[in-house]
Amino acid sequence: MKDLTQCVVNPSVATEGFDSLSVPVHRGSTILFANAEDYAKRGERGHAGYTYGLYGTPTTRTLEAKLTALENGAWTFLLPSGQAANSFAVLPFLQAGDRMLIADTSYPPMRDFANHDLVKFGIEVDYYDPTDVADLERRIDGRTKVVWCESPGSTTMEVQDLPAIAAVAHRHGALVSCDNSWATPLNFKPLDHGADLVTEALTKYISGHSDLLMGSLTVRNEALITPVRSALGRYGIGVSPDDASLVLRGMETLGVRMRQASEGTMMLAERLAGHPLVEQVLYPALPGSPGHAVWKRDFLGASGVFSVVFTPAATPHVQHALDVLRTFAIGASWGGTRSLMAPMPVKRNRTARPWTGEDLILRISVGLEDPSDLQDDLTAFLDDIAARTAKAPTA
Ligand SMILES: *Cc1c(COP(=O)(O)O)cnc(C)c1O
C-alpha cells in the first residue's frame, strides 16, 4: 500500500487478551460486509444485527441490553432525549381516527406533542384523571389505541394504579405506555404491572451527571419491536455512542446515588411537612402524602424528587427566597449529583383533574452533597420566606 492509502486504511489489531471493564466506544456510520452477498442480505439481519450506525453499535447495544434486563422487557431503543422516547412510544401505534388518552398530570411537553402534532394528524386526544380508574373507564372506547401514564405525575406527583389502568385499557384493545423517569427501573417496573411500553429520561437519574440528553423506550414483547424499529429508521432517530458510553458509566453508580438521594430526601420532606409555612409535601414515599398506599404496594423505592406546596400567604415569597440558597442550585431538570430547586407553575389547562391549589409549587431534587449543608440551606430559605411573609401587608 502506498502512504496515502496507509493513512486511510486501519490495520486490524488483536482484541483478544484485552478484557477491560469499560465498554468501548464504537463509532461508526458505515458497517463493512465480508462480501457482496452479505451486503445484499443485510436486511435479513433483523433488529439485533448491525447494518448501519443509525441502527446501533456495540456500545448502544450494551446500554439497550442493560435497560432491557432491568425493565424485564423484550427490547430497548435509545433516542436523543426523554421526550423523543415519549413521542415514539405512541407515534408508531396511532393513525388518523384513533384516540389517545393521556394522564392529566403528564409531563407538559407530552401534552404539547399530543395537542399540536397528534391532533394535526387526525388523532383525537383526551385527558383522564390519573387517580380515578372510573374516569378512564368513562372516556375509553374502541377507537382508543394508547393510554398514556406517568407515575408519579410531573410536579403534582399523583401515583397511578397501573395494574387497574392496564386492565381497563387492554379490555378495550389499547396499549399502555408509561413514563417511568421519576422511579427508574430500580424503583418501579411498569412492564411487570401491565404496561406495554416504558420510557425513561436517561438524562435524569440513569446517566446521573446532568451532562447529556438521552431517552429509552423498552417494549414488552417481540410484536412491538418492528413498528418502533421501522418508525425510528424512517424518522432518522439514533444516538451517539459517546453519549451512550457516558450513560453506561453513570449507570454503574445508579444504585448508590438513588439510595443516597432518597435518604436525604426523606429527611428534608419530613421536616418540610411539619413546617407552618408548608401546606403539603408531595412525595409518595412520605406517609400521609397522596398516593402513598399505591406507591407502597407497587414501588420498590423512591427517588430524590419531590414537590412542596406552600400556604397561600407564603407562596408569593418562595420565588424571591431562592436567592439565599448556597448549596442548592436553581435550575430545571433533575436527577444529577447537584441538588436543585425550581419553582414550577402548575398548568391551569388540566381538565380531568384540575389543580385547585396555589399556582406555584416548589420542586426539589436532592443530590449527593452533605445532608447537613442541605439542611442549613433549607433553614435559611424557610427563614427568609417566613420573614417576607411576616412583613407583607395582610390583604
Ligand atoms: C425530564 C423529563 C422528560 C424528558 O426528558 P428529556 O431528556 O429532558 O427530554 C420526560 N419525562 C419526565 C417525567 C421528565 O421529568
Side-chain angles (χ1 to χ4, degrees):
M1 277 193 266
K2 304 278 184 342
D3 282 0
L4 285 180
T5 310
Q6 304 251 40
C7 287
V8 172
V9 177
N10 290 312
S12 88
V13 298
T15 52
E16 304 84 20
F18 185 78
D19 281 331
S20 164
L21 281 171
S22 77
V23 180
V25 178
H26 290 275
R27 299 196 184 95
S29 50
T30 298
I31 311 288
L32 299 182
F33 296 82
N35 52 50
E37 195 190 348
D38 261 11
Y39 180 71
K41 287 187 172 165
R42 67 192 184 284
E44 295 168 21
R45 291 188 173 190
H47 62 270
Y50 298 114
T51 53
Y52 187 51
L54 184 68
Y55 309 132
T57 66
T59 312
T60 56
R61 286 282 186 275
T62 307
L63 178 54
E64 290 165 1
K66 276 176 102 152
L67 291 164
T68 301
L70 285 172
E71 306 273 19
N72 290 331
W75 190 260
T76 297
F77 299 96
L78 301 176
L79 297 94
S81 70
Q83 176 55 18
N86 283 356
S87 307
F88 279 88
V90 304
L91 206 46
F93 306 104
L94 292 166
Q95 58 184 36
D98 289 346
R99 237 164 97 76
M100 173 174 173
L101 283 169
I102 302 178
D104 209 8
T105 52
S106 298
Y107 184 59
M110 194 56 187
R111 302 178 73 101
D112 295 342
F113 166 67
N115 295 343
H116 290 262
D117 299 283
L118 295 182
V119 164
K120 198 173 70 186
F121 296 142
I123 295 149
E124 199 178 298
V125 172
D126 193 14
Y127 294 86
Y128 69 96
D129 181 337
T131 62
D132 182 1
V133 180
D135 185 57
L136 175 70
E137 187 93 63
R138 271 194 298 279
R139 294 171 193 264
I140 200 166
D141 61 13
R143 288 188 301 134
T144 307
K145 293 295 162 5
V146 177
V147 173
W148 182 260
C149 302
E150 180 188 330
S151 180
S154 278
T155 309
T156 45
M157 310 291 284
E158 292 81 358
V159 183
Q160 297 196 257
D161 186 345
L162 196 56
I165 288 167
V168 171
H170 291 156
R171 198 161 7 93
H172 289 84
L175 291 169
V176 176
S177 283
C178 184
D179 181 335
N180 195 43
S181 300
W182 180 83
T184 82
L186 286 190
N187 290 327
F188 187 49
K189 298 184 190 292
L191 301 183
D192 288 355
H193 291 85
D196 302 290
L197 303 111
V198 55
T199 60
E200 308 283 349
L202 305 178
T203 308
K204 311 278 172 60
Y205 280 111
I206 294 177
S207 66
H209 294 76
S210 315
D211 54 0
L212 60 90
L213 289 144
M214 201 180 293
S216 66
L217 164 55
T218 304
V219 300
R220 172 201 274 288
N221 58 39
E222 294 283 324
L224 298 171
I225 296 175
T226 304
V228 178
R229 164 76 284 151
S230 53
L232 290 175
R234 291 192 301 271
Y235 281 83
I237 306 281
V239 303
S240 139
D242 296 78
D243 284 350
S245 101
L246 286 174
V247 179
L248 283 162
R249 177 200 266 238
M251 196 173 167
E252 292 184 13
T253 56
L254 178 63
V256 284
R257 287 188 285 106
M258 291 292 275
R259 196 173 61 225
Q260 178 73 15
S262 69
E263 282 172 15
T265 304
M266 192 48 96
M267 286 193 296
L268 296 179
E270 280 170 348
R271 180 170 166 206
L272 280 158
H275 196 277
L277 293 175
V278 172
E279 199 154 272
Q280 203 175 22
V281 171
L282 306 173
Y283 184 50
L286 183 73
S289 180
H292 178 68
V294 178
W295 172 83
K296 208 168 161 185
R297 186 191 71 189
D298 292 348
F299 285 59
L300 304 162
S303 74
V305 177
F306 69 109
S307 296
V308 185
V309 183
F310 286 85
T311 61
T315 296
H317 308 294
V318 169
Q319 192 115 272
H320 306 285
L322 290 170
D323 292 341
V324 305
L325 298 170
R326 294 173 54 197
T327 306
F328 280 95
I330 303 169
S333 197
W334 40 261
T337 58
R338 189 73 194 271
S339 294
L340 297 171
M341 285 194 192
M344 305 293 293
V346 183
K347 287 222 173 182
R348 288 288 166 196
N349 60 1
R350 292 181 180 182
T351 49
R353 188 178 172 81
W355 175 255
T356 52
E358 294 299 301
D359 284 346
L360 187 136
I361 291 181
L362 182 68
R363 189 178 63 202
I364 300 180
S365 171
V366 178
L368 305 180
E369 303 92 340
D370 190 308
S372 69
D373 282 332
L374 297 176
Q375 293 283 5
D376 289 351
D377 232 19
L378 190 63
T379 302
F381 177 66
L382 291 168
D383 288 352
D384 194 69
I385 299 175
R388 288 171 186 275
T389 306
K391 258 199 293 196
T394 44

